[in-house]
Amino acid sequence: MTKQQRKWLLIAVALLVFGAIKFGLIYWYLRHKPKAPAAQTLSCDIVKTACVLPGGGRLSFVSAPAHGQPFEVRLNGVEALEAPTADFSMPDMDMGFNRYTFIKDGDGWKAKVTLPMCVSGSRAWRLELKSGAGHYQVPFSVVR
């Protein structure tokens, strides 16, 4: 074996070893990746009264939610480094991407939300609130 061939063989072996180490690290990461905490379901009637969060904040609708009509969601008493987000979905139906980011409004946060029309006539919705380390789920129904 010539000096040139040994050099290329050494490069090939080094690349194979590097690839094996990289594959092993990716496999280990995917197997040991921390799971996102499950959302805590809150049992409150958010349409009628404000929902009190475990950390002391209050989540409320300014007006009753309806399909296709904008309404405001307020979040008070929550200090967050990043703006909280609210995802709206239906329990048994894919309604697309409905994530809203709250904006700072005085002492609290607000988001202007419009829910899409549901052709099946279902009125059941679920709001998923993410605020800092808190992850909450609030079921609610829209008005007709």
mmCIF file of all heavy atoms in Angstrom, residues 6-59:
data_model
loop_
_atom_site.group_PDB
_atom_site.id
_atom_site.type_symbol
_atom_site.label_atom_id
_atom_site.label_comp_id
_atom_site.label_asym_id
_atom_site.label_seq_id
_atom_site.Cartn_x
_atom_site.Cartn_y
_atom_site.Cartn_z
ATOM 1 N N ARG A 6 -2.673 4.941 2.000
ATOM 2 C CA ARG A 6 -2.819 4.915 3.457
ATOM 3 C C ARG A 6 -3.454 6.200 3.973
ATOM 4 O O ARG A 6 -4.272 6.183 4.882
ATOM 5 C CB ARG A 6 -1.464 4.697 4.128
ATOM 6 C CG ARG A 6 -1.114 3.233 4.225
ATOM 7 C CD ARG A 6 0.120 3.057 4.992
ATOM 8 N NE ARG A 6 1.187 3.483 4.041
ATOM 9 C CZ ARG A 6 2.468 3.470 4.266
ATOM 10 N NH1 ARG A 6 2.911 3.091 5.419
ATOM 11 N NH2 ARG A 6 3.327 3.843 3.359
ATOM 12 N N LYS A 7 -3.082 7.325 3.366
ATOM 13 C CA LYS A 7 -3.656 8.607 3.773
ATOM 14 C C LYS A 7 -5.169 8.608 3.530
ATOM 15 O O LYS A 7 -5.947 8.988 4.400
ATOM 16 C CB LYS A 7 -2.983 9.746 3.004
ATOM 17 C CG LYS A 7 -3.529 11.120 3.352
ATOM 18 C CD LYS A 7 -2.777 12.208 2.618
ATOM 19 C CE LYS A 7 -3.682 12.752 1.551
ATOM 20 N NZ LYS A 7 -3.137 13.878 0.820
ATOM 21 N N TRP A 8 -5.615 8.168 2.353
ATOM 22 C CA TRP A 8 -7.043 8.142 2.039
ATOM 23 C C TRP A 8 -7.785 7.106 2.888
ATOM 24 O O TRP A 8 -8.940 7.318 3.287
ATOM 25 C CB TRP A 8 -7.270 7.890 0.552
ATOM 26 C CG TRP A 8 -6.976 9.126 -0.257
ATOM 27 C CD1 TRP A 8 -5.943 9.319 -1.114
ATOM 28 C CD2 TRP A 8 -7.728 10.342 -0.235
ATOM 29 N NE1 TRP A 8 -5.975 10.580 -1.647
ATOM 30 C CE2 TRP A 8 -7.090 11.245 -1.120
ATOM 31 C CE3 TRP A 8 -8.856 10.783 0.429
ATOM 32 C CZ2 TRP A 8 -7.544 12.530 -1.345
ATOM 33 C CZ3 TRP A 8 -9.313 12.056 0.185
ATOM 34 C CH2 TRP A 8 -8.665 12.917 -0.677
ATOM 35 N N LEU A 9 -7.146 6.003 3.197
ATOM 36 C CA LEU A 9 -7.753 4.995 4.064
ATOM 37 C C LEU A 9 -7.945 5.565 5.475
ATOM 38 O O LEU A 9 -8.998 5.384 6.093
ATOM 39 C CB LEU A 9 -6.878 3.731 4.118
ATOM 40 C CG LEU A 9 -7.403 2.612 5.008
ATOM 41 C CD1 LEU A 9 -8.743 2.104 4.506
ATOM 42 C CD2 LEU A 9 -6.397 1.483 5.096
ATOM 43 N N LEU A 10 -6.956 6.272 5.970
ATOM 44 C CA LEU A 10 -7.052 6.892 7.291
ATOM 45 C C LEU A 10 -8.164 7.945 7.311
ATOM 46 O O LEU A 10 -8.949 8.019 8.270
ATOM 47 C CB LEU A 10 -5.704 7.525 7.665
ATOM 48 C CG LEU A 10 -5.646 8.147 9.051
ATOM 49 C CD1 LEU A 10 -5.887 7.103 10.123
ATOM 50 C CD2 LEU A 10 -4.312 8.834 9.265
ATOM 51 N N ILE A 11 -8.292 8.745 6.255
ATOM 52 C CA ILE A 11 -9.370 9.735 6.169
ATOM 53 C C ILE A 11 -10.729 9.043 6.139
ATOM 54 O O ILE A 11 -11.670 9.458 6.826
ATOM 55 C CB ILE A 11 -9.169 10.647 4.933
ATOM 56 C CG1 ILE A 11 -7.960 11.558 5.151
ATOM 57 C CG2 ILE A 11 -10.422 11.478 4.647
ATOM 58 C CD1 ILE A 11 -7.563 12.367 3.923
ATOM 59 N N ALA A 12 -10.854 7.966 5.379
ATOM 60 C CA ALA A 12 -12.116 7.231 5.291
ATOM 61 C C ALA A 12 -12.502 6.642 6.647
ATOM 62 O O ALA A 12 -13.661 6.728 7.075
ATOM 63 C CB ALA A 12 -12.022 6.128 4.235
ATOM 64 N N VAL A 13 -11.540 6.060 7.356
ATOM 65 C CA VAL A 13 -11.819 5.486 8.683
ATOM 66 C C VAL A 13 -12.211 6.589 9.661
ATOM 67 O O VAL A 13 -13.160 6.434 10.446
ATOM 68 C CB VAL A 13 -10.588 4.686 9.185
ATOM 69 C CG1 VAL A 13 -10.744 4.308 10.649
ATOM 70 C CG2 VAL A 13 -10.387 3.444 8.335
ATOM 71 N N ALA A 14 -11.534 7.722 9.616
ATOM 72 C CA ALA A 14 -11.870 8.841 10.508
ATOM 73 C C ALA A 14 -13.281 9.339 10.228
ATOM 74 O O ALA A 14 -14.045 9.625 11.167
ATOM 75 C CB ALA A 14 -10.852 9.968 10.338
ATOM 76 N N LEU A 15 -13.665 9.439 8.958
ATOM 77 C CA LEU A 15 -15.024 9.865 8.628
ATOM 78 C C LEU A 15 -16.070 8.864 9.098
ATOM 79 O O LEU A 15 -17.137 9.242 9.591
ATOM 80 C CB LEU A 15 -15.153 10.110 7.123
ATOM 81 C CG LEU A 15 -14.483 11.377 6.585
ATOM 82 C CD1 LEU A 15 -14.548 11.419 5.066
ATOM 83 C CD2 LEU A 15 -15.150 12.611 7.173
ATOM 84 N N LEU A 16 -15.782 7.574 8.979
ATOM 85 C CA LEU A 16 -16.711 6.543 9.457
ATOM 86 C C LEU A 16 -16.861 6.611 10.981
ATOM 87 O O LEU A 16 -17.972 6.504 11.509
ATOM 88 C CB LEU A 16 -16.251 5.156 9.026
ATOM 89 C CG LEU A 16 -16.469 4.822 7.557
ATOM 90 C CD1 LEU A 16 -15.810 3.487 7.217
ATOM 91 C CD2 LEU A 16 -17.958 4.784 7.240
ATOM 92 N N VAL A 17 -15.750 6.782 11.686
ATOM 93 C CA VAL A 17 -15.805 6.894 13.151
ATOM 94 C C VAL A 17 -16.589 8.144 13.552
ATOM 95 O O VAL A 17 -17.444 8.101 14.440
ATOM 96 C CB VAL A 17 -14.381 6.897 13.754
ATOM 97 C CG1 VAL A 17 -14.408 7.281 15.219
ATOM 98 C CG2 VAL A 17 -13.732 5.537 13.568
ATOM 99 N N PHE A 18 -16.320 9.275 12.895
ATOM 100 C CA PHE A 18 -17.045 10.505 13.182
ATOM 101 C C PHE A 18 -18.545 10.321 12.930
ATOM 102 O O PHE A 18 -19.379 10.754 13.727
ATOM 103 C CB PHE A 18 -16.494 11.647 12.314
ATOM 104 C CG PHE A 18 -17.236 12.931 12.470
ATOM 105 C CD1 PHE A 18 -17.126 13.679 13.638
ATOM 106 C CD2 PHE A 18 -18.076 13.394 11.465
ATOM 107 C CE1 PHE A 18 -17.824 14.870 13.797
ATOM 108 C CE2 PHE A 18 -18.771 14.576 11.615
ATOM 109 C CZ PHE A 18 -18.652 15.314 12.786
ATOM 110 N N GLY A 19 -18.912 9.680 11.823
ATOM 111 C CA GLY A 19 -20.320 9.428 11.508
ATOM 112 C C GLY A 19 -20.973 8.529 12.544
ATOM 113 O O GLY A 19 -22.118 8.752 12.939
ATOM 114 N N ALA A 20 -20.278 7.500 13.006
ATOM 115 C CA ALA A 20 -20.828 6.595 14.012
ATOM 116 C C ALA A 20 -21.050 7.320 15.339
ATOM 117 O O ALA A 20 -22.078 7.129 16.001
ATOM 118 C CB ALA A 20 -19.898 5.396 14.202
ATOM 119 N N ILE A 21 -20.092 8.162 15.729
ATOM 120 C CA ILE A 21 -20.241 8.936 16.973
ATOM 121 C C ILE A 21 -21.421 9.892 16.847
ATOM 122 O O ILE A 21 -22.248 9.995 17.763
ATOM 123 C CB ILE A 21 -18.940 9.691 17.296
ATOM 124 C CG1 ILE A 21 -17.852 8.698 17.709
ATOM 125 C CG2 ILE A 21 -19.172 10.720 18.400
ATOM 126 C CD1 ILE A 21 -16.479 9.324 17.852
ATOM 127 N N LYS A 22 -21.529 10.565 15.717
ATOM 128 C CA LYS A 22 -22.638 11.499 15.504
ATOM 129 C C LYS A 22 -23.979 10.768 15.538
ATOM 130 O O LYS A 22 -24.931 11.219 16.181
ATOM 131 C CB LYS A 22 -22.456 12.222 14.170
ATOM 132 C CG LYS A 22 -23.467 13.306 13.931
ATOM 133 C CD LYS A 22 -23.135 14.065 12.668
ATOM 134 C CE LYS A 22 -24.165 15.152 12.436
ATOM 135 N NZ LYS A 22 -23.872 15.919 11.233
ATOM 136 N N PHE A 23 -24.082 9.637 14.874
ATOM 137 C CA PHE A 23 -25.310 8.848 14.888
ATOM 138 C C PHE A 23 -25.655 8.411 16.310
ATOM 139 O O PHE A 23 -26.803 8.491 16.734
ATOM 140 C CB PHE A 23 -25.164 7.620 13.977
ATOM 141 C CG PHE A 23 -26.352 6.715 14.019
ATOM 142 C CD1 PHE A 23 -27.517 7.040 13.341
ATOM 143 C CD2 PHE A 23 -26.317 5.538 14.757
ATOM 144 C CE1 PHE A 23 -28.614 6.201 13.387
ATOM 145 C CE2 PHE A 23 -27.412 4.697 14.813
ATOM 146 C CZ PHE A 23 -28.567 5.033 14.120
ATOM 147 N N GLY A 24 -24.646 7.964 17.058
ATOM 148 C CA GLY A 24 -24.882 7.536 18.440
ATOM 149 C C GLY A 24 -25.376 8.675 19.319
ATOM 150 O O GLY A 24 -26.286 8.494 20.140
ATOM 151 N N LEU A 25 -24.804 9.872 19.160
ATOM 152 C CA LEU A 25 -25.248 11.014 19.955
ATOM 153 C C LEU A 25 -26.672 11.438 19.599
ATOM 154 O O LEU A 25 -27.472 11.761 20.486
ATOM 155 C CB LEU A 25 -24.284 12.191 19.777
ATOM 156 C CG LEU A 25 -22.912 12.013 20.423
ATOM 157 C CD1 LEU A 25 -21.992 13.155 20.030
ATOM 158 C CD2 LEU A 25 -23.049 11.926 21.931
ATOM 159 N N ILE A 26 -27.004 11.439 18.321
ATOM 160 C CA ILE A 26 -28.370 11.783 17.910
ATOM 161 C C ILE A 26 -29.350 10.745 18.449
ATOM 162 O O ILE A 26 -30.415 11.089 18.979
ATOM 163 C CB ILE A 26 -28.464 11.898 16.372
ATOM 164 C CG1 ILE A 26 -27.694 13.124 15.894
ATOM 165 C CG2 ILE A 26 -29.913 11.951 15.908
ATOM 166 C CD1 ILE A 26 -27.550 13.222 14.388
ATOM 167 N N TYR A 27 -29.024 9.477 18.357
ATOM 168 C CA TYR A 27 -29.889 8.413 18.873
ATOM 169 C C TYR A 27 -30.080 8.571 20.382
ATOM 170 O O TYR A 27 -31.201 8.483 20.886
ATOM 171 C CB TYR A 27 -29.271 7.047 18.559
ATOM 172 C CG TYR A 27 -30.085 5.891 19.074
ATOM 173 C CD1 TYR A 27 -31.230 5.478 18.407
ATOM 174 C CD2 TYR A 27 -29.706 5.213 20.228
ATOM 175 C CE1 TYR A 27 -31.984 4.427 18.881
ATOM 176 C CE2 TYR A 27 -30.456 4.161 20.710
ATOM 177 C CZ TYR A 27 -31.588 3.773 20.036
ATOM 178 O OH TYR A 27 -32.333 2.736 20.508
ATOM 179 N N TRP A 28 -29.001 8.831 21.108
ATOM 180 C CA TRP A 28 -29.110 9.009 22.560
ATOM 181 C C TRP A 28 -29.987 10.216 22.891
ATOM 182 O O TRP A 28 -30.836 10.147 23.772
ATOM 183 C CB TRP A 28 -27.724 9.191 23.175
ATOM 184 C CG TRP A 28 -27.781 9.407 24.653
ATOM 185 C CD1 TRP A 28 -27.800 8.449 25.621
ATOM 186 C CD2 TRP A 28 -27.854 10.666 25.333
ATOM 187 N NE1 TRP A 28 -27.885 9.034 26.863
ATOM 188 C CE2 TRP A 28 -27.918 10.400 26.713
ATOM 189 C CE3 TRP A 28 -27.867 11.978 24.922
ATOM 190 C CZ2 TRP A 28 -27.994 11.398 27.668
ATOM 191 C CZ3 TRP A 28 -27.952 12.977 25.872
ATOM 192 C CH2 TRP A 28 -28.010 12.677 27.221
ATOM 193 N N TYR A 29 -29.816 11.321 22.178
ATOM 194 C CA TYR A 29 -30.606 12.529 22.441
ATOM 195 C C TYR A 29 -32.096 12.267 22.215
ATOM 196 O O TYR A 29 -32.938 12.666 23.014
ATOM 197 C CB TYR A 29 -30.136 13.686 21.562
ATOM 198 C CG TYR A 29 -31.035 14.894 21.653
ATOM 199 C CD1 TYR A 29 -30.992 15.725 22.761
ATOM 200 C CD2 TYR A 29 -31.958 15.186 20.654
ATOM 201 C CE1 TYR A 29 -31.829 16.830 22.877
ATOM 202 C CE2 TYR A 29 -32.797 16.276 20.759
ATOM 203 C CZ TYR A 29 -32.727 17.091 21.866
ATOM 204 O OH TYR A 29 -33.567 18.163 21.976
ATOM 205 N N LEU A 30 -32.425 11.625 21.111
ATOM 206 C CA LEU A 30 -33.832 11.366 20.816
ATOM 207 C C LEU A 30 -34.474 10.424 21.827
ATOM 208 O O LEU A 30 -35.666 10.521 22.114
ATOM 209 C CB LEU A 30 -33.989 10.823 19.393
ATOM 210 C CG LEU A 30 -33.666 11.826 18.279
ATOM 211 C CD1 LEU A 30 -33.757 11.162 16.921
ATOM 212 C CD2 LEU A 30 -34.587 13.028 18.353
ATOM 213 N N ARG A 31 -33.710 9.514 22.380
ATOM 214 C CA ARG A 31 -34.244 8.582 23.390
ATOM 215 C C ARG A 31 -34.368 9.221 24.769
ATOM 216 O O ARG A 31 -35.189 8.811 25.570
ATOM 217 C CB ARG A 31 -33.353 7.343 23.500
ATOM 218 C CG ARG A 31 -33.199 6.558 22.227
ATOM 219 C CD ARG A 31 -34.377 5.752 21.892
ATOM 220 N NE ARG A 31 -34.450 4.651 22.824
ATOM 221 C CZ ARG A 31 -35.464 3.843 22.928
ATOM 222 N NH1 ARG A 31 -36.497 4.014 22.166
ATOM 223 N NH2 ARG A 31 -35.473 2.873 23.798
ATOM 224 N N HIS A 32 -33.560 10.234 25.069
ATOM 225 C CA HIS A 32 -33.533 10.850 26.392
ATOM 226 C C HIS A 32 -34.010 12.297 26.397
ATOM 227 O O HIS A 32 -33.806 13.011 27.373
ATOM 228 C CB HIS A 32 -32.113 10.789 26.973
ATOM 229 C CG HIS A 32 -31.658 9.402 27.221
ATOM 230 N ND1 HIS A 32 -30.983 8.670 26.273
ATOM 231 C CD2 HIS A 32 -31.803 8.592 28.297
ATOM 232 C CE1 HIS A 32 -30.717 7.475 26.757
ATOM 233 N NE2 HIS A 32 -31.205 7.394 27.978
ATOM 234 N N LYS A 33 -34.644 12.721 25.305
ATOM 235 C CA LYS A 33 -35.129 14.098 25.206
ATOM 236 C C LYS A 33 -36.214 14.327 26.255
ATOM 237 O O LYS A 33 -37.118 13.507 26.400
ATOM 238 C CB LYS A 33 -35.678 14.342 23.802
ATOM 239 C CG LYS A 33 -36.121 15.756 23.560
ATOM 240 C CD LYS A 33 -36.406 16.028 22.095
ATOM 241 C CE LYS A 33 -37.571 15.231 21.590
ATOM 242 N NZ LYS A 33 -38.011 15.658 20.272
ATOM 243 N N PRO A 34 -36.143 15.434 27.000
ATOM 244 C CA PRO A 34 -37.175 15.682 28.006
ATOM 245 C C PRO A 34 -38.525 15.909 27.347
ATOM 246 O O PRO A 34 -38.627 16.600 26.327
ATOM 247 C CB PRO A 34 -36.699 16.932 28.738
ATOM 248 C CG PRO A 34 -35.736 17.578 27.817
ATOM 249 C CD PRO A 34 -35.151 16.488 26.959
ATOM 250 N N LYS A 35 -39.560 15.316 27.935
ATOM 251 C CA LYS A 35 -40.898 15.467 27.398
ATOM 252 C C LYS A 35 -41.513 16.757 27.907
ATOM 253 O O LYS A 35 -41.279 17.164 29.038
ATOM 254 C CB LYS A 35 -41.767 14.279 27.803
ATOM 255 C CG LYS A 35 -41.303 12.988 27.187
ATOM 256 C CD LYS A 35 -42.179 11.846 27.583
ATOM 257 C CE LYS A 35 -41.660 10.569 26.958
ATOM 258 N NZ LYS A 35 -42.376 9.405 27.413
ATOM 259 N N ALA A 36 -42.298 17.378 27.049
ATOM 260 C CA ALA A 36 -42.998 18.597 27.446
ATOM 261 C C ALA A 36 -44.031 18.249 28.513
ATOM 262 O O ALA A 36 -44.694 17.213 28.423
ATOM 263 C CB ALA A 36 -43.689 19.220 26.244
ATOM 264 N N PRO A 37 -44.165 19.079 29.530
ATOM 265 C CA PRO A 37 -45.140 18.769 30.574
ATOM 266 C C PRO A 37 -46.555 18.789 30.008
ATOM 267 O O PRO A 37 -46.867 19.603 29.135
ATOM 268 C CB PRO A 37 -44.941 19.887 31.606
ATOM 269 C CG PRO A 37 -44.289 20.988 30.854
ATOM 270 C CD PRO A 37 -43.499 20.340 29.761
ATOM 271 N N ALA A 38 -47.387 17.910 30.509
ATOM 272 C CA ALA A 38 -48.772 17.857 30.055
ATOM 273 C C ALA A 38 -49.515 19.099 30.540
ATOM 274 O O ALA A 38 -49.235 19.631 31.611
ATOM 275 C CB ALA A 38 -49.440 16.599 30.594
ATOM 276 N N ALA A 39 -50.446 19.534 29.742
ATOM 277 C CA ALA A 39 -51.232 20.707 30.107
ATOM 278 C C ALA A 39 -52.164 20.360 31.263
ATOM 279 O O ALA A 39 -52.773 19.299 31.285
ATOM 280 C CB ALA A 39 -52.046 21.180 28.910
ATOM 281 N N GLN A 40 -52.256 21.261 32.213
ATOM 282 C CA GLN A 40 -53.151 21.092 33.353
ATOM 283 C C GLN A 40 -54.533 21.591 32.934
ATOM 284 O O GLN A 40 -54.697 22.735 32.544
ATOM 285 C CB GLN A 40 -52.633 21.884 34.550
ATOM 286 C CG GLN A 40 -53.490 21.761 35.770
ATOM 287 C CD GLN A 40 -52.919 22.575 36.921
ATOM 288 O OE1 GLN A 40 -51.841 23.158 36.829
ATOM 289 N NE2 GLN A 40 -53.653 22.616 38.010
ATOM 290 N N THR A 41 -55.537 20.711 33.011
ATOM 291 C CA THR A 41 -56.892 21.083 32.631
ATOM 292 C C THR A 41 -57.566 21.812 33.784
ATOM 293 O O THR A 41 -57.589 21.324 34.906
ATOM 294 C CB THR A 41 -57.713 19.841 32.235
ATOM 295 O OG1 THR A 41 -57.044 19.180 31.163
ATOM 296 C CG2 THR A 41 -59.110 20.229 31.800
ATOM 297 N N LEU A 42 -58.087 22.993 33.484
ATOM 298 C CA LEU A 42 -58.774 23.793 34.488
ATOM 299 C C LEU A 42 -60.276 23.649 34.285
ATOM 300 O O LEU A 42 -60.758 23.711 33.158
ATOM 301 C CB LEU A 42 -58.374 25.265 34.360
ATOM 302 C CG LEU A 42 -56.880 25.562 34.453
ATOM 303 C CD1 LEU A 42 -56.629 27.038 34.240
ATOM 304 C CD2 LEU A 42 -56.334 25.123 35.787
ATOM 305 N N SER A 43 -60.992 23.438 35.373
ATOM 306 C CA SER A 43 -62.443 23.299 35.269
ATOM 307 C C SER A 43 -63.093 24.591 35.749
ATOM 308 O O SER A 43 -63.291 24.807 36.937
ATOM 309 C CB SER A 43 -62.924 22.102 36.084
ATOM 310 O OG SER A 43 -62.537 22.253 37.431
ATOM 311 N N CYS A 44 -63.372 25.460 34.803
ATOM 312 C CA CYS A 44 -64.042 26.717 35.106
ATOM 313 C C CYS A 44 -64.865 27.104 33.887
ATOM 314 O O CYS A 44 -64.581 26.675 32.777
ATOM 315 C CB CYS A 44 -63.037 27.798 35.465
ATOM 316 S SG CYS A 44 -61.811 28.101 34.195
ATOM 317 N N ASP A 45 -65.878 27.890 34.088
ATOM 318 C CA ASP A 45 -66.706 28.369 32.988
ATOM 319 C C ASP A 45 -66.172 29.727 32.542
ATOM 320 O O ASP A 45 -66.625 30.769 33.003
ATOM 321 C CB ASP A 45 -68.162 28.463 33.430
ATOM 322 C CG ASP A 45 -69.092 28.708 32.252
ATOM 323 O OD1 ASP A 45 -68.582 28.901 31.118
ATOM 324 O OD2 ASP A 45 -70.312 28.711 32.453
ATOM 325 N N ILE A 46 -65.203 29.692 31.657
ATOM 326 C CA ILE A 46 -64.509 30.917 31.242
ATOM 327 C C ILE A 46 -65.421 31.868 30.478
ATOM 328 O O ILE A 46 -65.176 33.059 30.421
ATOM 329 C CB ILE A 46 -63.252 30.567 30.419
ATOM 330 C CG1 ILE A 46 -62.371 31.797 30.251
ATOM 331 C CG2 ILE A 46 -63.630 29.995 29.078
ATOM 332 C CD1 ILE A 46 -61.015 31.507 29.711
ATOM 333 N N VAL A 47 -66.507 31.368 29.898
ATOM 334 C CA VAL A 47 -67.426 32.224 29.157
ATOM 335 C C VAL A 47 -68.187 33.140 30.119
ATOM 336 O O VAL A 47 -68.438 34.300 29.820
ATOM 337 C CB VAL A 47 -68.396 31.379 28.308
ATOM 338 C CG1 VAL A 47 -69.425 32.243 27.620
ATOM 339 C CG2 VAL A 47 -67.616 30.567 27.280
ATOM 340 N N LYS A 48 -68.521 32.639 31.323
ATOM 341 C CA LYS A 48 -69.315 33.422 32.282
ATOM 342 C C LYS A 48 -68.446 34.194 33.280
ATOM 343 O O LYS A 48 -68.767 35.305 33.647
ATOM 344 C CB LYS A 48 -70.264 32.499 33.042
ATOM 345 C CG LYS A 48 -71.331 31.909 32.146
ATOM 346 C CD LYS A 48 -72.263 31.023 32.915
ATOM 347 C CE LYS A 48 -73.293 30.424 31.963
ATOM 348 N NZ LYS A 48 -74.107 29.428 32.598
ATOM 349 N N THR A 49 -67.372 33.580 33.755
ATOM 350 C CA THR A 49 -66.519 34.226 34.755
ATOM 351 C C THR A 49 -65.060 34.037 34.380
ATOM 352 O O THR A 49 -64.721 33.201 33.550
ATOM 353 C CB THR A 49 -66.747 33.629 36.164
ATOM 354 O OG1 THR A 49 -66.400 32.237 36.127
ATOM 355 C CG2 THR A 49 -68.167 33.799 36.627
ATOM 356 N N ALA A 50 -64.203 34.763 35.034
ATOM 357 C CA ALA A 50 -62.765 34.624 34.795
ATOM 358 C C ALA A 50 -62.280 33.302 35.374
ATOM 359 O O ALA A 50 -62.781 32.827 36.388
ATOM 360 C CB ALA A 50 -62.009 35.782 35.426
ATOM 361 N N CYS A 51 -61.319 32.721 34.739
ATOM 362 C CA CYS A 51 -60.728 31.461 35.182
ATOM 363 C C CYS A 51 -59.472 31.806 35.985
ATOM 364 O O CYS A 51 -58.578 32.481 35.483
ATOM 365 C CB CYS A 51 -60.386 30.639 33.948
ATOM 366 S SG CYS A 51 -60.105 28.925 34.272
ATOM 367 N N VAL A 52 -59.407 31.326 37.211
ATOM 368 C CA VAL A 52 -58.259 31.607 38.073
ATOM 369 C C VAL A 52 -57.195 30.547 37.817
ATOM 370 O O VAL A 52 -57.445 29.348 37.942
ATOM 371 C CB VAL A 52 -58.667 31.626 39.567
ATOM 372 C CG1 VAL A 52 -57.459 31.884 40.438
ATOM 373 C CG2 VAL A 52 -59.737 32.675 39.804
ATOM 374 N N LEU A 53 -55.998 30.994 37.454
ATOM 375 C CA LEU A 53 -54.884 30.087 37.179
ATOM 376 C C LEU A 53 -54.198 29.687 38.476
ATOM 377 O O LEU A 53 -54.217 30.448 39.451
ATOM 378 C CB LEU A 53 -53.884 30.766 36.244
ATOM 379 C CG LEU A 53 -54.444 31.263 34.907
ATOM 380 C CD1 LEU A 53 -53.366 31.995 34.134
ATOM 381 C CD2 LEU A 53 -55.007 30.125 34.108
ATOM 382 N N PRO A 54 -53.580 28.516 38.525
ATOM 383 C CA PRO A 54 -52.903 28.075 39.747
ATOM 384 C C PRO A 54 -51.835 29.040 40.258
ATOM 385 O O PRO A 54 -51.630 29.158 41.448
ATOM 386 C CB PRO A 54 -52.281 26.734 39.342
ATOM 387 C CG PRO A 54 -53.143 26.240 38.247
ATOM 388 C CD PRO A 54 -53.596 27.461 37.509
ATOM 389 N N GLY A 55 -51.191 29.780 39.384
ATOM 390 C CA GLY A 55 -50.169 30.727 39.812
ATOM 391 C C GLY A 55 -50.727 32.057 40.292
ATOM 392 O O GLY A 55 -49.988 32.939 40.692
ATOM 393 N N GLY A 56 -52.044 32.219 40.261
ATOM 394 C CA GLY A 56 -52.662 33.442 40.734
ATOM 395 C C GLY A 56 -53.166 34.361 39.642
ATOM 396 O O GLY A 56 -53.802 35.363 39.930
ATOM 397 N N GLY A 57 -52.911 34.066 38.393
ATOM 398 C CA GLY A 57 -53.393 34.903 37.307
ATOM 399 C C GLY A 57 -54.866 34.654 37.013
ATOM 400 O O GLY A 57 -55.476 33.721 37.529
ATOM 401 N N ARG A 58 -55.427 35.503 36.160
ATOM 402 C CA ARG A 58 -56.829 35.382 35.777
ATOM 403 C C ARG A 58 -56.939 35.443 34.260
ATOM 404 O O ARG A 58 -56.434 36.369 33.632
ATOM 405 C CB ARG A 58 -57.665 36.481 36.408
ATOM 406 C CG ARG A 58 -57.709 36.401 37.924
ATOM 407 C CD ARG A 58 -58.398 37.602 38.561
ATOM 408 N NE ARG A 58 -59.730 37.860 38.074
ATOM 409 C CZ ARG A 58 -60.842 37.272 38.533
ATOM 410 N NH1 ARG A 58 -60.748 36.375 39.484
ATOM 411 N NH2 ARG A 58 -62.021 37.581 38.037
ATOM 412 N N LEU A 59 -57.638 34.470 33.685
ATOM 413 C CA LEU A 59 -57.871 34.388 32.247
ATOM 414 C C LEU A 59 -59.357 34.612 32.017
ATOM 415 O O LEU A 59 -60.183 33.975 32.665
ATOM 416 C CB LEU A 59 -57.443 33.016 31.728
ATOM 417 C CG LEU A 59 -57.626 32.737 30.249
ATOM 418 C CD1 LEU A 59 -56.676 33.593 29.427
ATOM 419 C CD2 LEU A 59 -57.391 31.267 29.953
#
